[in-house]
Amino acid sequence: MSIRFLLLLAILSMASFAYAQQRPNVVLIYVDDLGYGDMSSYGASKIKTPNLDKLAAQGVRFTRGYATSATCTPSRYALMTGEYPWRKQGTGVLPGDAALVVPIDKMTLPGVFKKAGYTTAIVGKWHLGLGEAVEKNWNGDIKPGPNEVGFDYSFIFPATADRVPTVFMENGRVLGLDPADPIQVNYREKVGQEPTGKENPELLKMKASPNHGHDNTIVNGIGRIGYMSGGTKARWTDEEVPLTFLQKAKDFIVENKKQPFFLFYSLTEPHVPRMPSTYFKGKSELGYRGDVILQMDWAVGEILKELELQGLAKNTFIIFTSDNGPVLDDGYEDEAVTKQNGHMPAGPLRGGKYSAFEAGTRVPWIVSWPGKVKPGESDALISQVDLLASFASMLRQQLGTTDAPDSQNMLLALSGKSKQGRNILVQHAGTLAIVKDNWKYIEPGKGPAYNKLTDIELGNSPEPQLYDLSKDIGERHNLAEQHPEKVKELSKLLQEIKQKGNSR
Ligand code: NG6
Ligand code: CA
């Protein structure tokens, strides 16, 4: 063999090794309504999250990582499409019978992985609508859904745990369908004869909070939003939902360990109704909200263990984050308020879920890739809307000009190699806010300043608001009057981003 040939071989094998290194498995662990202060690695002292803390210690812990929005559907829409959700009508919190809101003809986050040859899956909460219309037959195949927007495999529940239908769906079909007991779903009027929380509150094992709704069909002793009938055997028991998702996620990992995969593991905790498994009931001493946070932490630990067991730990890139900020009372009397016991779900931030203040969208965010991502902390400004372009870059996938219009390539920041994140970020809670160089401007708006039901400051004001987040992370001092030039600059910038239709 000639020296030249050997050299060529060496170069080729090095190149393919480098390429292989850039094709890790990716597990995106996405939790529901977990706040910036809900984990011990983010400063919580009343609750311990050892598995997440371990993940944080072996990876990068971000202090300025954001969901795009202060509620679920819009944040998930942005994650999937790389587009700010406020650009698209109909991406607000969806009822459980909504049609699919993710376009089927555009690049999506799982689509990037699929194009690069990965096997892709979602296991967990969906909440982005299903099928072509609200009217649909829940007893047949429902399309389009997750499988039509880039997931090879899907095991989901359709919306939120507090909304009907309370069933699992695998690849577009309700699991456990019984033709003799067909499912009907309706969000306008009652269907079937089953009791509702409104008519029969004595049947509830967990009361709904006054004036919060959640008093339609009762399933598993819990009043839901929306009416359903039939599908008795297909309905879940809340206590086993997280265990089912965990097992399905593990199965997917085991079955796909030989080729690169992307797993979107979308947990329901700590969203309402919080109904922990028996083992976790009472464990946190903070009520069920604390208990399901411990359960979620445990489930993350189980995933880490499974990756270890399958020999995949080293070659798996993990992202952990939350779809929006925290809320204590979101519709049920589950003792989250009465047993708060000094726990601060938002940490030092103001507001909470639904809020234009920081707690609405600034969320825990950890990235781990053992051996590749150096452990540490990062204050790079990053948004979930950026995952699409970042992974497209990692996997060398070209994006079309109209794809992912707001997604910026943050691969270097995400992998801890650079502290440089975004320059500008738009935050969304109905009202829009913009962050640049630690200055935050909240647009004036007509919305209420405070929501009594959830006890959350929403951040709305008829006056412009300007905060210096570097000195005032709690947004206590509105500096708009002192810095009219900043207000002008940021409001102009926000208008431009809105008008331009993209910000990539
Ligand atoms: C709200 C619900 C709340 C929760 C939320 C969606 C009422 C009064 N409140 O409208 O309980 O379901 O929607 O949460 O109905 S999210 O995290 O999925 O966005
Ligand atoms: Ca949520």
Side-chain angles (χ1 to χ4, degrees), residues 37-301:
D38 271 328
M39 288 155 53
S40 27
S41 32
Y42 277 80
S45 59
K46 304 283 177 187
I47 192 158
K48 287 261 165 302
T49 48
N51 294 292
L52 287 162
D53 297 353
K54 182 180 155 206
L55 194 69
Q58 74 184 33
V60 183
R61 190 184 78 98
F62 289 87
T63 56
R64 293 204 300 158
Y66 288 83
T68 60
S69 310
T71 49
C72 183
T73 303
S75 287
R76 284 159 202 259
Y77 175 83
L79 183 77
M80 285 290 291
T81 62
E83 177 178 43
Y84 279 140
W86 41 264
R87 294 197 194 280
K88 169 128 170 165
Q89 284 274 318
T91 56
V93 175
L94 291 176
D97 61 352
L100 178 71
V101 293
V102 180
I104 53 173
D105 56 353
K106 290 244 176 83
M107 189 46 85
T108 60
L109 178 63
V112 165
F113 286 97
K114 204 169 148 99
K115 216 166 136 224
Y118 278 55
T119 304
T120 56
I122 172 170
V123 174
K125 167 170 169 166
W126 175 239
H127 211 184
L128 287 166
L130 292 167
E132 283 169 353
V134 170
E135 303 299 332
K136 58 186 142 264
N137 177 10
W138 288 93
N139 306 286
D141 288 326
I142 301 182
K143 284 182 190 166
N147 295 62
E148 284 66 44
V149 294
F151 290 109
D152 295 312
Y153 175 72
S154 66
F155 186 93
I156 58 165
F157 67 51
T160 53
D162 59 359
R163 272 154 229 250
V164 301
T166 51
V167 294
F168 295 117
M169 295 182 76
E170 190 166 34
N171 295 326
R173 216 178 156 79
V174 172
L175 208 69
L177 275 174
D178 177 1
D181 185 25
I183 296 175
Q184 261 190 292
V185 175
N186 198 313
Y187 272 72
R188 291 173 305 281
E189 58 195 23
K190 185 172 169 175
V191 284
Q193 298 306 317
E194 290 180 55
T196 64
K198 192 169 187 173
E199 298 156 346
N200 292 89
E202 76 284 358
L203 297 179
L204 298 171
K205 68 176 175 191
M206 185 162 65
K207 275 198 210 158
S209 308
N211 309 317
H212 267 264
H214 296 87
D215 59 0
N216 301 154
T217 304
I218 299 175
V219 180
N220 188 31
I222 299 171
R224 314 282 165 164
I225 304 176
Y227 301 96
M228 82 177 282
S229 69
T232 314
K233 288 182 201 147
R235 296 180 190 190
W236 73 55
T237 332
D238 299 75
E239 288 85 337
E240 56 129 41
V241 168
L243 306 180
T244 306
F245 284 151
L246 173 62
Q247 193 54 47
K248 288 286 171 186
K250 282 190 192 176
D251 290 352
F252 176 79
I253 290 172
V254 174
E255 282 157 22
N256 292 281
K257 64 178 178 187
K258 296 228 166 70
Q259 72 262 5
F261 61 77
F262 168 59
L263 170 62
F264 179 20
Y265 179 38
S266 170
L267 289 81
T268 174
E269 297 106 311
H271 194 283
V272 296
R274 298 153 187 147
M275 187 49 68
S277 311
T278 306
Y279 176 72
F280 288 97
K281 280 185 176 147
K283 219 171 163 37
S284 69
E285 297 182 3
L286 298 178
Y288 282 175
R289 183 172 187 277
D291 297 345
V292 298
I293 291 176
L294 296 185
Q295 177 172 288
M296 176 274 288
D297 178 72
W298 167 82
V300 171

Side-chain angles (χ1 to χ4, degrees), residues 315-380:
N315 197 31
T316 301
F317 188 112
I318 301 177
I319 303 172
F320 173 88
T321 187
S322 173
D323 69 343
N324 53 254
V327 51
L328 291 177
D329 185 354
D330 209 14
Y332 297 97
E333 291 188 356
D334 60 7
E335 301 184 317
V337 176
T338 51
K339 290 196 174 161
Q340 188 177 357
N341 191 25
H343 175 59
M344 303 293 283
L349 308 180
R350 186 169 180 186
K353 181 176 179 176
Y354 310 109
S355 178
F357 287 133
E358 286 295 287
T361 52
R362 194 192 291 217
V363 285
W365 187 320
I366 299 166
V367 169
S368 144
W369 187 10
K372 301 289 184 339
V373 163
K374 230 172 82 202
E377 196 177 293
S378 173
D379 62 0

